[in-house]
Amino acid sequence: MSELGEPLVFYVFAALAVLGALGVITLRNPVHCALSLAIVFVSLAVMYVLLSAPFIAVAQIMIYAGASLVLFLFVIMVLNPQLEIGEGALPGQALAAGAVGFALVIVVSLALVGGKLFPTLGPYTPQVIAQQGHTQIIGGLLFTDFLLPFEITSLLLLVAVVGVISLARGRNK
Amino acid sequence: MITLNHYTILAAILFAIGAIGVLVRRNPLVMFMGIELMLNAVNLTFVAFSRYLQNLDGQVFVFIVLTVAAAEVAVGLALIVAIFQTRANVDVDEIDSLKG
């Protein structure tokens, strides 16, 4: 990536991600919200490519944009919920939530600007990643250092599958 | 030059927008989308730190977060469908049967 190219790609897709996120929380029609969410997912996949993590980028597209979003759209189509009308339960709910979110961004930014990081750098520079292959390194870590979390994740997926099937069958059968 | 702070501040903005969405919206589907936004912001932080610390452990956890998010969406949407079968409207303010 050239010196000029990286900031350009970053700012374009960061702006797209923020606009898509704002669309998710402001648009009235849930289908439009889901499509805005797709913009966020794809922009973040581009970010992962910029951060030299191509495997994560592909997984992001396949799992989030592919599986999760299609499931969202299916459920929206099946349920066909009405558009939200009017304010929330509390007066000034949107304003208070906006203030909380703004304060969150300010606090995190202050912590970043004021804080200092004394890192011990690992061996995986972008050159090493390009040489060995990102997928190979992630796979190696997953099956050696992180075998226990990996197995627990597979158990979690099993529990989710059983739970979804029992929920979908309903209690009267 | 794009630094670590650029990515973390972008992630903070996305997380805050997701949190606002969960607080403001009353459609549980859109609230779930807010949760997805927050999970994605955390993933971005993980990957950005793993790039700048040159350590791929964080990306393994991104992979696990992806799996957990997929399971969460599947179970959550099944719950919403189950609630919708008993009442016509999906509005979180009206689902208060457990209220004392």
Side-chain angles (χ1 to χ4, degrees):
Chain A
M1 187 73 59
S2 67
E3 278 301 299
L4 194 73
E6 194 192 349
L8 185 71
V9 174
F10 175 84
Y11 285 118
V12 167
F13 282 95
L16 266 179
V18 173
L19 286 178
L22 286 175
V24 171
I25 66 166
T26 51
L27 293 174
R28 291 286 137 205
N29 189 336
V31 177
H32 296 164
C33 294
L35 294 177
S36 294
L37 198 61
I39 298 175
V40 181
F41 289 160
V42 173
S43 311
L44 285 183
V46 173
M47 296 289 165
Y48 297 151
V49 173
L50 274 186
L51 288 164
S52 58
F55 175 71
I56 301 291
V58 173
Q60 164 91 4
I61 296 284
M62 275 168 59
I63 298 176
Y64 272 125
S68 293
L69 207 66
V70 170
L71 199 58
F72 266 118
L73 285 172
F74 260 124
V75 171
I76 291 169
M77 301 295 182
V78 167
L79 296 186
N80 192 20
Q82 294 94 339
L83 307 185
E84 286 177 36
I85 314 154
E87 273 279 300
L90 304 169
Q93 191 178 353
L95 205 67
V100 169
F102 189 67
L104 189 67
V105 173
I106 294 294
V107 167
V108 172
S109 308
L110 282 180
L112 283 172
V113 172
K116 213 156 175 61
L117 206 60
F118 301 102
T120 41
L121 293 182
Y124 298 112
T125 61
Q127 287 77 27
V128 174
I129 293 173
Q131 209 174 31
Q132 292 188 19
H134 187 246
T135 315
Q136 280 90 331
I137 300 174
I138 294 273
L141 284 171
L142 207 56
F143 287 109
T144 53
D145 292 357
F146 295 96
L147 189 59
L148 184 64
F150 179 74
E151 295 293 345
I152 295 172
T153 311
S154 63
L155 194 66
L156 175 86
L157 283 179
L158 179 69
V159 171
V161 168
V162 173
V164 168
I165 290 172
S166 92
L167 275 173
R169 275 181 67 231
R171 69 186 78 149
N172 48 358
K173 282 179 200 129
Chain B
M1 184 62 196
I2 301 297
T3 61
L4 176 60
N5 281 0
H6 287 79
Y7 288 103
T8 15
I9 288 175
L10 172 64
I13 293 171
L14 288 180
F15 189 93
I17 293 174
I20 294 171
V22 173
L23 290 174
V24 171
R25 299 301 297 260
R26 283 167 300 139
N27 186 335
L29 287 164
V30 183
M31 289 172 79
F32 261 108
M33 291 180 201
I35 295 172
E36 292 293 302
L37 270 179
M38 290 195 274
L39 284 168
N40 267 283
V42 172
N43 278 352
L44 182 62
T45 320
F46 262 130
V47 177
F49 269 100
S50 104
R51 163 75 180 79
Y52 282 91
L53 299 179
Q54 300 174 7
N55 185 334
L56 292 194
D57 290 2
Q59 298 189 10
V60 176
F61 278 94
V62 170
F63 197 61
I64 292 171
V65 171
L66 280 173
T67 333
V68 172
E72 173 243 321
V73 167
V75 176
L77 291 180
L79 278 173
I80 292 174
V81 171
I83 292 169
F84 197 83
Q85 282 168 349
T86 54
R87 52 180 73 222
N89 195 10
V90 189
D91 186 331
V92 283
D93 287 341
E94 288 170 20
I95 305 165
D96 54 2
S97 318
L98 284 177
K99 209 171 182 178

